[in-house]
Amino acid sequence: MDNSTSTATIDPPLRLGLAMWSQNQWQQTVYGNSQAHRLARYAEIFNTVEGNTTFYATPSLQNVQNWYAATHDEFKFTFKLPKHITHELQLQHARSALQQFFSVMEPLINRTGVWKIQLPASFGPQSLPQLAQFLTQVPQGLTYGVEVRNSAFFAKGEAEQALNRLLIDNNCNRIIMDTRPVFAAAPTTAAVIDAHQKKPKVPVHAIATAHNPVVRFIGHPQAEANIHFFQNWLKQLPLWIAQNKQPYLFIHTPDNHNAPQLAVDLYRLLQQQLAHSTSALADINLLPQQQHTTTQMGFDL
């Protein structure tokens, strides 16, 4: 991300990233003819990424060291805790697994902005004591985010209030899934059908329980259709920034082929919103042959 007027040590008001850093379809928008590691090239444009690979298995130490070498200190990963801990153990009896995971990930501790605890839909209000206990067992002094999928946590009742209180008391962020755009898309392609089957269809409750609210925006395959759903974020994200919070915004699309361009276009709308504030956003660009303006995409404020 370009910022010729800011020093490298200043934290950006908002972090923008995608669901992955390696995608063959990004050759013309992200990688070009660069011979650099794909992650290294990605980190020249975006300043965070969802590290979903750790959800499926703890990576090798060599991979962790490679990821460190490919990035820089201003870049922040967000890694999911392994599903063995969150889904199989349901956060219980996980001390050994936690120790092993964080031992391998140690080289990237300082380059990880948020450690994500994604919980299955079966993890409901009755399991909150397990989460409370678990948050005392994870390494302290790091930043965590919790993503829930049980409907009780979206009903604005006692269960959701208890969850939010628990997160606030533990200085833990609530991860916000905005799947409205993708569920507004007709299930006429394999990618959209797959997204409808795998993504949770839950209400969007924009609450910041700690310093780094995390928004996962699952976009519509038609770029222009996303503007309607992004309008509230054009208000909420600047509001959080004005409250001295640092949001993380991750942009997805059903197949993620056009996610880089959608992320840049939405980011530029936020940039316009914050242009005259003390929290102006730095410029961001994809490769020149693929650059578009927000008005070309039909994104006029």
Side-chain angles (χ1 to χ4, degrees):
M1 303 187 77
D2 298 329
N3 190 345
S4 58
T5 60
S6 299
T7 64
T9 58
I10 295 178
D11 236 6
L14 172 140
R15 289 193 176 274
L16 176 74
L18 307 176
M20 60 194 70
W21 63 72
S22 183
Q23 172 74 271
N24 290 338
Q25 287 74 15
W26 297 352
Q27 201 65 41
Q28 298 302 313
T29 55
V30 177
Y31 311 126
N33 296 321
S34 173
Q35 299 302 309
H37 193 292
R38 282 186 171 185
L39 175 56
R41 175 58 190 148
Y42 172 99
E44 292 177 3
I45 301 172
F46 301 99
N47 55 20
T48 190
V49 70
E50 288 189 335
N52 292 327
T53 180
T54 54
F55 178 72
Y56 300 99
T58 298
S60 68
L61 180 58
Q62 183 61 60
N63 275 344
V64 171
Q65 292 171 338
N66 290 344
W67 297 341
Y68 180 91
T71 55
H72 47 84
D73 287 340
E74 287 73 41
F75 185 85
K76 298 295 182 184
F77 293 90
T78 67
F79 287 114
K80 287 183 182 178
L81 269 59
K83 66 177 181 178
H84 173 64
I85 294 173
T86 57
H87 287 54
E88 296 169 12
L89 296 177
Q90 295 269 308
L91 308 184
Q92 299 182 92
H93 313 295
R95 287 184 183 272
S96 176
L98 274 173
Q99 183 178 16
Q100 189 268 338
F101 175 69
F102 279 100
S103 175
V104 172
M105 300 301 293
E106 195 278 333
L108 288 173
I109 291 289
N110 292 333
R111 287 193 186 166
T112 302
V114 180
W115 298 91
K116 295 182 175 180
I117 304 167
Q118 179 181 303
L119 299 172
S122 60
F123 195 98
Q126 76 285 351
S127 301
L128 282 181
Q130 296 163 213
L131 176 59
Q133 179 66 21
F134 184 75
L135 292 176
T136 69
Q137 297 174 353
V138 294
Q140 300 301 295
L142 305 182
T143 300
Y144 296 94
V146 170
E147 181 181 310
V148 292
R149 299 192 173 192
N150 188 283
S151 60
F153 294 132
F154 297 89
K156 297 186 177 180
E158 292 183 3
E160 184 169 12
Q161 293 171 16
L163 169 67
N164 292 338
R165 282 197 301 269
L166 175 61
L167 298 180
I168 291 170
D169 290 345
N170 285 273
N171 195 32
C172 185
N173 301 279
R174 181 167 177 173
I175 297 173
I176 303 159
M177 287 281 290
D178 189 349
T179 57
R180 296 172 302 154
V182 73
F183 278 104
T188 55
T189 67
V192 171
I193 292 171
D194 185 64
H196 284 186
Q197 293 173 343
K198 294 180 178 178
K199 301 300 182 184
K201 191 176 184 180
V202 295
V204 181
H205 292 179
I207 179 172
T209 56
H211 180 67
N212 299 112
V214 179
V215 177
R216 299 179 64 198
F217 185 88
I218 318 299
H220 194 287
Q222 296 176 359
E224 295 84 353
N226 290 289
I227 287 303
H228 167 72
F229 298 102
F230 201 69
Q231 287 301 312
N232 286 341
W233 293 119
L234 287 175
K235 301 173 183 176
Q236 185 62 61
L237 290 166
L239 178 61
W240 280 333
I241 292 171
Q243 295 170 347
N244 294 318
K245 300 183 186 300
Q246 184 193 47
Y248 279 63
L249 174 62
F250 294 100
I251 304 300
H252 306 231
T253 59
D255 57 15
N256 283 309
H257 292 180
N258 297 318
Q261 189 63 62
L262 178 61
V264 169
D265 287 323
L266 296 179
Y267 177 88
R268 286 175 177 163
L269 293 180
L270 282 167
Q271 196 176 34
Q272 292 177 37
Q273 291 288 93
L274 292 164
H276 302 296
S277 76
T278 57
S279 301
L281 299 178
D283 290 336
I284 178 173
N285 293 296
L286 298 177
L287 293 180
Q289 62 267 32
Q290 290 294 321
Q291 289 181 22
H292 300 279
T293 64
T294 54
T295 51
Q296 284 177 312
M297 296 291 289
F299 293 172
D300 242 340
L301 282 180

